[in-house]
Amino acid sequence: MLKLVIPKGSLERATLELFEAADLKVRRGSEREYRGAIDDPRIDSVAILRPQEIPTYVDDGFFDLGVTGEDWIAETDAKVVHVTPLEYSKQTDLPVKIVLAVPRDAGITAPDQIRPGSRISTEFPNLTKAYFERLGIPVRIFLSYGATEAKVPEIVDAIVDLTETGATLRRHGMEIIDVILESRTQLIANTSSYEDAEKRKAIDELDVHVEAGEIVG
């Protein structure tokens, strides 16, 4: 009945553990496989994809139900139903944060001190663009594909990055000067699927299982 998609990568292990605790264990041939199965009549198929892609695919109806971060829902502006927040992140049960960070020796202590024309590296170009537009500061945004903090100061002047504890940023001499968004992992649903009575019933039942898995886990 339901097509489910769960995240590959940093959220993968915690998601699989949660589903197993909820008696919804995902079976697959190997850890490298992108497809799996759950022995539950309400779930037709399981896909394992990057969390960045999941909100758009759920929005477009390729999947009825998915797990991804609030950060990627906001970045992609996906129109999905937020079924329930899941109390885990990459390393802890704390929310992750999208932050604006600058070199510690830059002498900048507040976001309005960012100079017009500054170069900003980020994996979240849409959120970053909207943030600086709200501040009224024109900046140049450079898309990052990882190790965003390593691009300062030679390539960019500041970064907008995802952090859970801030430890990596501090090790690289960066100072957080603003929190743009706090993000928790979310169980999301396609809008049309959630409006379908039969699928809505299955989604709500699975949600109860997942929330019970959080307690057990």
Side-chain angles (χ1 to χ4, degrees):
M1 181 189 298
L2 298 177
K3 295 180 179 179
L4 170 69
V5 57
I6 60 176
K8 187 79 177 167
S10 58
L11 293 174
E12 182 177 359
R13 178 188 57 79
T15 302
L16 291 173
E17 289 177 353
L18 172 61
F19 273 68
E20 184 170 358
D23 291 327
L24 296 167
K25 183 176 181 177
V26 178
R27 296 184 292 101
R28 51 182 173 161
S30 74
E31 292 184 358
R32 295 185 178 183
E33 287 199 19
Y34 290 87
R35 297 187 185 280
I38 294 176
D39 292 327
D40 189 293
R42 292 164 293 197
I43 300 175
D44 282 341
S45 64
V46 181
I48 301 98
L49 298 174
R50 291 173 62 82
Q52 296 93 320
E53 303 170 310
I54 289 175
T56 300
Y57 289 153
V58 172
D59 186 359
D60 287 344
F62 292 103
F63 300 98
D64 302 293
L65 198 61
V67 175
T68 189
E70 180 67 37
D71 47 349
W72 294 115
I73 301 169
E75 172 64 19
T76 58
D77 195 29
K79 303 301 186 288
V80 295
V81 177
H82 291 62
V83 179
T84 193
L86 304 175
E87 301 297 324
Y88 66 87
S89 299
K90 293 181 181 180
Q91 302 170 15
T92 71
D93 58 358
L94 299 174
V96 294
K97 299 175 183 179
I98 296 179
V99 300
L100 172 63
V102 298
R104 194 172 292 127
D105 57 5
I108 297 173
T109 58
D112 59 6
Q113 295 172 357
I114 297 286
R115 293 188 302 274
S118 291
R119 302 158 300 169
I120 314 295
S121 180
T122 184
E123 293 183 70
F124 302 92
N126 294 325
L127 285 173
T128 301
K129 180 176 182 288
Y131 173 76
F132 279 100
E133 284 179 348
R134 289 195 299 272
L135 288 176
I137 302 173
V139 297
R140 297 174 63 197
I141 297 172
F142 293 82
L143 181 61
S144 173
Y145 293 94
T148 307
E149 66 281 352
K151 299 172 177 70
V152 180
E154 290 83 2
I155 300 173
V156 298
D157 304 296
I159 65 173
V160 171
D161 202 10
L162 190 68
T163 184
E164 194 160 347
T165 66
T168 299
L169 294 175
R170 289 191 293 272
R171 282 199 304 271
H172 286 84
M174 303 293 292
E175 190 76 27
I176 295 171
I177 60 171
D178 200 11
V179 176
I180 297 174
L181 176 73
E182 285 198 355
S183 171
R184 286 197 179 275
T185 308
Q186 298 277 341
L187 182 66
I188 61 173
N190 172 266
T191 303
S192 296
S193 299
Y194 206 65
E195 291 173 351
D196 179 280
E198 189 176 4
K199 288 187 175 181
R200 170 71 175 269
K201 181 174 182 292
I203 290 169
D204 288 344
E205 288 172 355
L206 290 171
D207 178 30
V208 171
H209 277 276
V210 171
E211 290 192 49
E214 285 190 293
I215 296 171
V216 173

